[in-house]
């Protein structure tokens, strides 16, 4: 006998062994299918973009000690940001060019980068939006939470996506070049994209991340037309 109601969609643990634990939330319709993450840390957990404010997510997050909520781009804000911030009593971190979009929320802003703890840093990666940013952590061999700056294509390869709403395509490509210069094989093992995770075909992250990042050929992308 089957239940008439669908099983609740819960945050999914994406690493095993799970120290530190990282959870991926189900796609959020309010952020156009965006995937939010929770990165646990003894100094205070970090929420990356806003998950759907469902009963299941509320129960899960109330059991966590969330210190930071990083907004990686304006599309990751979500309609329930105020409720989420007030409930969790967390600090909202956002690149300074996006902060004006949420005047009712007290924010911590940054320009080029901001250290959340000794091994986790927010990095300004403009282009998708003026204040688009990524979060990098040294854990698990190095993880880049890429927001919508880099998304998986149909072959699960990380790529920038130029759309009619892309703020500044040349700046986005320049920001990718800066990431290519920033990392080494030993410092970047995984990418956790902020959307399009269905293209990962059940995988939790884009693995072999450094090599796949370096395989992005920026020259032909500069001629790419915007997708409507």
């Amino acid at each position: 006998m089957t239940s008439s109601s669908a099983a609740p969609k819960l945050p999914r643990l994406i690493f095993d062994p799970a120290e530190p634990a990282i959870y991926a939330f189900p796609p959020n319709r309010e952020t156009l299918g965006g995937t939010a993450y929770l990165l646990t840390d003894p100094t205070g957990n970090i929420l990356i973009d806003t998950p759907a404010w469902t009963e299941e997510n509320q129960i899960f997050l109330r059991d966590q000690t969330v210190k930071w909520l990083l907004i990686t781009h304006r599309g990751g804000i979500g309609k329930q940001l105020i409720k989420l911030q007030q409930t969790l009593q967390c600090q909202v971190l956002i690149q300074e060019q996006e902060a004006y979009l949420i005047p009712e929320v007290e924010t911590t802003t940054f320009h080029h980068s901001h250290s959340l703890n000794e091994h986790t840093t927010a990095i300004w990666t403009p282009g998708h939006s003026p204040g688009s940013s990524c979060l990098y952590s040294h854990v698990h061999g190095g993880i880049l939470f890429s927001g919508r700056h880099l998304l998986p294509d149909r072959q699960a390869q990380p790529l920038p996506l130029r759309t009619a709403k892309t703020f500044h395509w040349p700046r986005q490509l320049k920001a990718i070049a800066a990431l290519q210069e920033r990392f080494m094989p030993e410092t970047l093992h995984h990418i956790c994209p902020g959307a399009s995770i269905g293209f990962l075909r059940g995988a939790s992250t884009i693995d072999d991340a450094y090599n796949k990042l370096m395989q992005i050929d920026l020259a032909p992308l500069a001629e790419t037309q915007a997708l409507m």
Side-chain angles (χ1 to χ4, degrees):
M1 184 174 180
T2 60
S3 172
S4 59
S5 60
K9 295 182 178 180
L10 301 173
R12 177 170 55 96
L13 189 65
I14 65 172
F15 280 103
D16 188 20
E19 283 297 330
I22 301 175
Y23 296 89
F25 289 83
N28 183 359
R29 292 182 180 179
E30 290 187 357
T31 58
L32 300 179
T35 296
Y37 296 90
L38 182 74
L39 170 61
T40 62
D41 188 272
T43 65
N45 298 336
I46 302 165
L47 188 60
I48 302 142
D49 290 329
T50 53
W53 200 229
T54 62
E55 181 179 358
E56 293 79 19
N57 287 346
Q58 290 179 47
I59 292 171
F60 174 80
L61 286 168
R62 285 184 177 125
D63 288 336
Q64 309 295 323
T65 302
V66 179
K67 181 178 181 179
W68 293 100
L69 165 56
L70 170 68
I71 302 297
T72 64
H73 63 289
R74 60 185 59 196
I77 292 173
K79 296 179 180 179
Q80 304 301 322
L81 175 61
I82 297 177
K83 288 183 180 179
L84 192 153
Q85 191 275 333
Q86 291 176 344
T87 299
L88 301 179
Q89 293 295 297
C90 57
Q91 301 177 59
V92 176
L93 178 65
I94 191 168
Q95 206 277 337
E96 60 188 13
Q97 295 183 77
E98 311 274 73
Y100 77 94
L101 296 166
I102 46 174
E104 67 280 12
V105 177
E106 184 176 352
T107 61
T108 298
T109 63
F110 67 98
H111 182 35
H112 287 293
S113 64
H114 184 93
S115 295
L116 287 76
N117 54 49
E118 63 181 7
H119 47 253
T120 307
T121 303
I123 306 165
W124 181 38
T125 51
H128 171 74
S129 68
S132 175
S133 59
C134 298
L135 185 75
Y136 174 73
S137 177
H138 291 287
V139 301
H140 295 290
I143 303 176
L144 185 70
F145 296 89
S146 63
R148 291 186 186 262
H149 180 58
L150 288 170
L151 295 175
D153 66 6
R154 294 182 182 277
Q155 289 72 46
Q157 305 299 306
L159 282 174
L161 178 64
R162 187 180 187 183
T163 73
K165 294 184 179 180
T166 297
F167 165 65
H168 198 288
W169 185 238
R171 290 187 189 178
Q172 187 168 356
L173 298 184
K174 184 178 179 180
I176 291 170
L179 291 179
Q180 290 176 329
E181 294 177 0
R182 183 186 187 102
F183 295 115
M184 299 181 294
E186 300 80 14
T187 60
L188 184 62
H189 287 194
H190 311 280
I191 293 174
C192 290
S196 302
I197 61 171
F199 288 147
L200 300 183
R201 297 179 179 85
S204 298
T205 68
I206 300 173
D207 297 333
D208 191 25
Y210 173 80
N211 288 326
K212 291 177 180 177
L213 176 64
M214 297 305 294
Q215 288 168 8
I216 299 175
D217 189 350
L218 300 176
L221 286 174
E223 306 301 323
T224 302
Q225 298 297 312
L227 300 175
M228 300 302 292

